[in-house]
Every structure is written in C-alpha cells, then in structure tokens.
Amino acid sequence: MDRRVGNERPGCESMLHGQQSFTMSANNPMVMLVPRQDSPESPAENALGSQPTDNPTNALREPDVRVQSVARAMKILFAVAQSESGLKTVNIARNANLPRQATYHLVHTLMATGMLRQNERGLYVLGLRVGTLAEAFRRQLVPSQHLAPIVREISKMTGETAYATGWMDGEIVMLVTARGTNPVHATEATHGTHEDAHARASGKLLLAFAQEDVRSDYLSRHALTARTNRTVTKLPDLYSEFERIRAQGYAIDNEEFSLGLCCLAVPLDNGVSPFALTLSSPANRFQRHFDEYLAAMRRIAANLTQFREDPEI
C-alpha cells in the first residue's frame, strides 16, 4: 500500500475538530469539523515548526543509565526476547551492540540467575524465571499510567491526536489518547474502542506482528467490514499488507476507517511488545508531514527500549 494518501475530499479512529463549520455526510456520519478558538491559525506547521526532525532533544530523553552491567544485561534480555527461537552468544553481542567478552560473562550470569537458558539447539532463550516477571507485568500493568506520557509526547511534537493501543483479552483495544493541538485535528477515540482492527493502523500493525495462532483466532472472530471504499476486505490482501508492515516497520490507515482521516502506527520493541503508538491526522496534512511524523514517532518508540551507548569494559 502506498504510504501517501489520495486527493479525495474528506472521515481512522476518530472525528475531526477544526476551524470549519459543522458538517456531516451520509458516507461518514462520524466526521465533524467544529470551531476551535484557542488554537493558532496555522495547522501542523505550528506544531512541527522548523524543528529538525533528527534532534534527539525533541523526543523523550533516554534513561540515565547508572550501572553499566545492569544496562548491558537488559540489552541482552531484549535481544533474546526479540529473537524468534533464541540466539548464539555472537548474535547476542551483535544485536545488543556489546563487546563479545562482556556478553559472554553476562550471559552466564543471566543463566545462573534463571533469566536465560540454553535450548536443545544450544541457543540462548529466556529462562523460566522470566515467566514470573511476565505474570507480574500482566497483574500489575495499568496501561494508561505507563503509556500516557508517551502518547502526550507524540501529540506535543506533532500537534496531532495520538493513541496507544494494545492486546487485551484477545482484542485490540484503545488504551489511552491525547488530543491534538492543531486548529483542525482528530478528536480522541473512546477508551476501550476495539472494533474493526483490520481498518485501523494500530490494529493492522499489531495483527502483523502477532503470532499466527493469535492473528488467525482474531480474524476468525471478526468480519472484514468495509468501513470506507478504501478498507481492505479480502483476507489475502490483508495478509499481503501484514508482510509489508513487518518489512517497513510501520502501518498506515489510508482513510480506511474514516474518510478524511489517516493514521500512522509504529510498534514498541520492534513488534515484540503487545502495544503500539498511533497518530491520527486529517488526510491532506498527513500527506505533507508524513516523513516528519514517522521520524518523530520512531524516535519516541526507540526511547522506550534503547539504552544509552556505553564504553566498553
């Protein structure tokens, strides 16, 4: 699917707020444009301004890593977690960007603590004690508390409405939103929204990176409803798009959920995480600022999982 949007007039996951008078159409009864008195006159340009898109200070700051060995151990665990079936030491060192000797010692420490183990093929995989952490994470997780600051940062940097979405009990659910600041912007979708994931950028992204049994189960329970004339409604076409999403590392809703609106979604942890970050924008502004939006969201997503590069031991 082309990342750019067409020239159709307006209609992702929400309605529009803006400077124009109230409008509604039979094709898209959820799209409204209403006055906003407290916004600047120009749209996305005021939010993005002349800020360089590659300036790391524009994104969330990286954590202050105080103990080098702990930071490196976490890199190793992330590298193993993101692999399909485990890694050799040399692959761990390369993927985590760590010295091989330091990696060797830390891997053995993690094995001794039960955080890693070797499988029958001699590859390092997550150990049984990681299950304790995973279970505690599910038990203790309050998504809005963890994801809200990230979503607000996306909205602040781009001026667009932003979302965090995730898997919850077999459904792809809207977890937290932040309203855009541009004069014309998408309103926040209702928390808990979960219908028609095949037509949403975040839904397509999470389905693309899901395990096949999870993906198949979801699609067997949900019809591929045509939200607009751009919605993908054939399963082979949707699976082809999943392949493109995995290859490019992001997903787009090209007016597939609602005419006049486009969305961009990026994964956390290269798709291993059950959460995704999404930006929603009017179609014409989405086309003009796509590159800036993608760069900003990737920087923010990367700051959740990447550690500061540290000198070799």
Side-chain angles (χ1 to χ4, degrees), residues 207 210-219 239 242 246:
L207 285 168
Q211 295 295 318
E212 179 55 37
D213 59 336
V214 175
R215 180 168 48 241
S216 298
D217 174 70
Y218 180 90
L219 293 173
Y239 267 79
F242 292 158
R246 288 191 292 267

Side-chain angles (χ1 to χ4, degrees), residues 93-161:
R94 183 177 63 248
N95 292 0
N97 195 25
L98 293 174
R100 189 176 300 183
Q101 190 67 18
T103 301
Y104 175 83
H105 290 299
L106 287 169
V107 163
H108 280 268
T109 300
L110 290 168
M111 285 187 64
T113 58
M115 302 302 288
L116 289 180
R117 63 182 180 86
Q118 274 187 299
N119 63 17
E120 63 280 1
R121 298 167 54 197
L123 301 178
Y124 291 101
V125 297
L126 295 178
L128 295 178
R129 296 196 69 184
V130 172
T132 302
L133 295 178
E135 177 58 33
F137 175 77
R138 287 190 290 267
R139 186 174 63 250
Q140 299 173 5
L141 176 66
V142 180
S144 59
Q145 293 181 4
H146 296 275
L147 298 172
I150 316 303
V151 171
R152 286 196 296 267
E153 185 70 10
I154 294 174
S155 180
K156 176 182 176 182
M157 289 182 63
T158 65
E160 305 293 1
T161 298

